[in-house]
Amino acid sequence: MLNIPDFRQRLGTTLLLYGVVVTILNQLLLGHFDWRRFISNLLYIVPFSYLVQFIGYFWDWLQIPALPLLPRLILNVLGLLGVAAAVSIYQRCNLIQHPNDDLSYILRFRFLHGSAIIAQWTSYLPPLTIIIVSFFATGHLRAIGFGTAFALIAQGAIMGWSDHHVFPHLKHHVDIVQAHHPA
């Protein structure tokens, strides 16, 4: 019998609710309601949330958390490199995105002059806020480790690099209006 951590049983629903909130935030940042973007964010987040929960169970079944530190770090880094490259690819395709990746995209091209690094750091403010509030409310940090820190620090840079080196013929199809900032 698997000993599944209690938080894993609520992970899918937590990710789904978070995705819905970020989907609404995306609409506010656009400055107008975009039905295609709204529906595509929801279409992405519903199966994704529960797939992440299932993959967590699968990693537990494979006993990945019980591996020594070095193999876990290698798996973490390879996974994060793959995710950053994949986000770069599908942001350039801009058909359907995870709400948080869409948040990064909106921030990048509407407010941050195309900077993948600053957009990614900025897009992490909602989950960082949740982490901080949760810590002060409970006194515990859960599911925060090397992978989280690595993603916070490096994912935007890896995405920017991937924009130019992974399928470089794909170009961003920016479909948002840039915000006007008074000079």
Side-chain angles (χ1 to χ4, degrees):
M1 182 77 178
L2 280 177
N3 182 11
I4 299 169
D6 198 31
F7 72 89
R8 175 101 62 226
Q9 295 172 349
R10 295 182 300 273
L11 182 60
T13 302
T14 301
L15 291 174
L16 175 65
L17 293 174
Y18 172 77
V20 170
V21 170
V22 174
T23 297
I24 294 166
L25 174 61
N26 289 345
Q27 295 299 311
L28 294 172
L29 289 173
L30 285 171
H32 67 279
F33 194 81
D34 181 334
W35 276 105
R36 184 203 65 83
R37 189 172 237 115
F38 183 80
I39 298 298
S40 71
N41 281 181
L42 294 178
L43 285 173
Y44 193 102
I45 197 63
V46 171
F48 176 83
S49 299
Y50 294 100
L51 181 61
V52 168
Q53 180 174 321
F54 170 76
I55 290 170
Y57 291 139
F58 183 68
W59 288 150
D60 288 341
W61 180 73
L62 290 177
Q63 299 183 350
I64 299 296
L67 288 175
L69 180 61
L70 185 60
R72 283 186 292 135
L73 285 176
I74 291 169
L75 286 172
N76 245 318
V77 170
L78 290 175
L80 290 165
L81 291 173
V83 165
V87 170
S88 165
I89 293 166
Y90 90 109
Q91 279 188 338
R92 287 179 278 155
C93 294
N94 195 16
L95 297 173
I96 183 171
Q97 295 187 55
H98 183 286
N100 220 69
D101 296 330
D102 201 22
L103 173 60
S104 169
Y105 190 84
I106 292 165
L107 292 168
R108 179 178 182 180
F109 291 108
R110 181 146 198 247
F111 300 103
L112 301 171
H113 311 289
S115 173
I117 295 171
I118 296 171
Q120 196 63 34
W121 287 342
T122 306
S123 74
Y124 279 134
L125 289 176
L128 282 173
T129 302
I130 292 168
I131 290 168
I132 291 166
V133 169
S134 296
F135 174 74
F136 283 116
T138 67
H140 300 284
L141 284 178
R142 297 191 188 264
I144 308 298
F146 173 81
T148 304
F150 184 85
L152 286 171
I153 294 165
Q155 187 168 359
I158 297 164
M159 287 168 52
W161 180 90
S162 296
D163 284 352
H164 300 287
H165 296 93
V166 178
F167 300 115
H169 63 282
L170 288 175
K171 303 297 178 204
H172 285 281
H173 302 281
V174 180
D175 63 348
I176 54 177
V177 178
Q178 291 221 326
H180 296 285
H181 301 286

